Amino acid sequence: MYKRINYITAILVLVCGLSVQAQVTTSSPYSRYGLGNVKGSLLPQLRAMGGISTAVSAINGFNYINMQNPASYSSINLTTIDIGMSASLTNLSRNNLSETSFNSTFSHIAFAVPVNRKSALSFGILPYSDLGYSYKNSVKVDTLSVDQLYEGEGGLSKAYLGYGYKFGDHFSIGGNVEYIFGNLLTTRATEYAVAGAVNAKLQNKNSVGGLNYSYGAQYNFNVSRKLSMTLGYSGSSSGKVNSKQSFYATQYTRDASGNENTALDTLSAVTNAKSNLTLPLTHNFGISIQETDKWLIGADFRMSKWSNVSVNNVNQGLQNSWGASLGTQFTPDITSYNSYFKRVDYRLGVSYDKTYIQIGNQDIKQMGASVGFGFPLPSANGLSFYKINFTTEVGQRGTLTNNLVKEQYINFHLGFTLNDKWFRKYKVD
């Protein structure tokens, strides 16, 4: 067991080291709205299937940590660890302008431990949202050219502790206690294209740290000897998370090289004022059907009440969102000894979302397709199971209509999953 612990520790150090070198996690003007780009509690193996999760637990007997629906924890019968990282290639286009950026980061670390035959405990940490943008609008005020600058950086993370329990042979429930934390920093500035002009800047920092809750239920039943069906529901509460807000309004100039000088004056300053953040109420519904040791296909429908989201009791002007996903996993022959690729999991998925963003009466929509693989690794003793999960997502958000920004992206997700029985008793002859 200690060799396995050292193995996992080495991988974790490697992943964390890669993440430290790449702290910028997104470059999207749409992250300006709401709480940033909301990531969702999905590991690579679920993202590969379009993000289906509500009615998914163990697939082909292999344990996955599905924190999107904590009821799934009840099917975990081995100690399970999942760690990983992600990267994205994003192209932004507007009119005849185009810009491409690349970002990568540590994505998650999650653990699950069976408590008894019908329940399991899970805990971990993963991103909740990412904030990252920098752009400007140039306008004319009388005869002067004025640049309006917008910048944002930061994001929120989520640490969770969850428990799932199965009643009888078919019905499971579960819940997560989640600690949402992080910093959201936004800046707006107005600059005049005149040498020595006095410019104005508004900077707002929100330091978030508070509890929220999510929950779920699953009902599983046999359709035939080899076929089973699962119905699922999951959601999260619309709670208020504590935060501290700092606000600064300053005036400044730029030198001959264009560098920003020290602020001339601070017009207003508020430091660490008590505030709060209202999170959206969410509902997810799902269905899946699975043939034992062969395939799974499922669909999800989701909705979130973003219209109630507020910061310091100020409504953020967002709209309610909804979306749907369809995905599948297929394993040609899980017991094959002659062909490795017959034991590989092949995954496909599609998704569509009407997001919570509306600009100039234009709904911002997002659509994508995904493909992924689960590569099994050899087991030393036949009692532990390893798998590398790789996923690629291709999608688009926004449109060029009405002078808006079209965002095209390719996301890469890499995860390592371990299933093992760490706490077994050894018998001595």
Side-chain angles (χ1 to χ4, degrees), residues 42-52 59 62-65 82 108 328-329 347 373-374 387-391 413 415-417:
L42 298 171
L43 301 189
Q45 48 270 41
L46 297 178
R47 292 187 183 277
M49 296 185 286
I52 63 169
I59 305 178
F62 194 83
N63 294 327
Y64 293 124
I65 304 175
D82 205 304
H108 67 274
T328 184
Q329 173 179 304
R347 304 171 180 132
F373 306 92
K387 190 169 289 189
I388 293 178
N389 298 293
F390 180 74
T391 296
H413 305 277
F416 175 86
T417 308

Side-chain angles (χ1 to χ4, degrees), residues 264-299:
L264 296 173
D265 190 17
T266 300
L267 305 178
S268 177
V270 177
T271 305
N272 291 331
K274 288 185 177 180
S275 182
N276 58 71
L277 184 71
T278 303
L279 299 177
L281 175 69
T282 66
H283 299 289
N284 307 291
F285 306 90
I287 183 172
S288 70
I289 185 167
Q290 179 175 184
E291 180 180 339
T292 304
D293 295 336
K294 201 69 175 180
W295 54 262
L296 175 142
I297 185 170

Side-chain angles (χ1 to χ4, degrees), residues 203-207 244-248 270-273:
Q203 188 178 68
N204 188 76
K205 180 180 180 182
N206 215 346
S207 298
K244 292 183 179 180
Q245 195 168 31
S246 298
F247 174 83
Y248 303 96
V270 177
T271 305
N272 291 331

